Amino acid sequence: QRDALKKIKDILKKNRLPIIVGGSALYIYALTRGYRFPGKSDTKLRRELESKSLSQLQVIVKKTKKISLNSSDFQNKRRLIRAIEVFENCKFKIKNFRSSPLPYQFLKIGIDLPRAEIYKRIDRRTEEWMKKGLVGEVKNLLKKKISRDRIIEFGLGYREVLNYLDGEIKSQNELINRINFSQHAFVRRQMTWFRRDKEIKWSKKLIDAEKLVIDFLKK
């Protein structure tokens, strides 16, 4: 968020138009809605927490009664550590987690491709990913003593590779299918989320997006 704001200012000083492409919903809304992120990093506390097991961290979170995590985050050691760290160092009240919007006008454009086309792109990317050595990458991470939880957090597909290396997934074809399945499911969830955002203008064709930009710049 901080880096993006700096870049936006630099670009505007040159009388150019900043264009932000991609990013998760959190990244987008952190920028367009001016989210405030509470809690500084605490190296000493983090080291202490990292020495604890997942179950020990879960006990700490339960005892606070003020940390709210979804079921997935509750099973994620890094998310638990960060939640405790924020709780212990938080300077903002919960109600102030979001600040006022930034002093910029934003045009949000969503690319409305057919679902089948999105799936094809994902499948092609997975094939390329495998050819470039995804399995070898995960093996090297394990050799470097990177924790399984940390590897899973690198993104979609890494959990499936770990399962493949554990023997739970029997072949590379099955591995590819499982990676594609998880990414297709993610796309569906992401689209459901973004469809709720009434600020997004959906475009099926490039010409539609161009018209939206032209109209926006006229305002």
Side-chain angles (χ1 to χ4, degrees), residues 60-72:
I60 294 173
V61 167
K62 285 181 179 178
K63 283 182 177 179
T64 66
K65 297 182 180 180
K66 291 185 178 181
I67 298 177
S68 178
L69 294 172
N70 61 38
S71 57
S72 175

Side-chain angles (χ1 to χ4, degrees), residues 112-172:
D112 195 8
L113 291 175
R115 190 68 57 82
E117 175 61 27
I118 296 174
Y119 289 168
K120 284 180 182 178
R121 292 186 179 196
I122 288 172
D123 296 351
R124 286 197 298 268
R125 186 178 63 183
T126 301
E127 287 185 15
E128 292 173 4
W129 202 9
M130 290 291 291
K131 289 176 182 177
K132 290 179 179 179
L134 173 61
V135 174
E137 176 191 347
V138 176
K139 285 181 179 178
N140 288 332
L141 291 170
L142 290 170
K143 286 180 182 177
K144 293 178 180 179
K145 307 299 183 183
I146 305 298
S147 73
R148 296 172 68 89
D149 286 343
R150 184 70 185 102
I151 292 172
I152 289 170
E153 287 184 345
F154 288 168
L156 295 171
Y158 286 89
R159 182 191 299 274
E160 288 76 11
V161 175
L162 288 171
N163 292 339
Y164 170 71
L165 294 174
D166 289 341
E168 295 177 28
I169 295 175
K170 304 302 181 184
S171 68
Q172 288 211 1

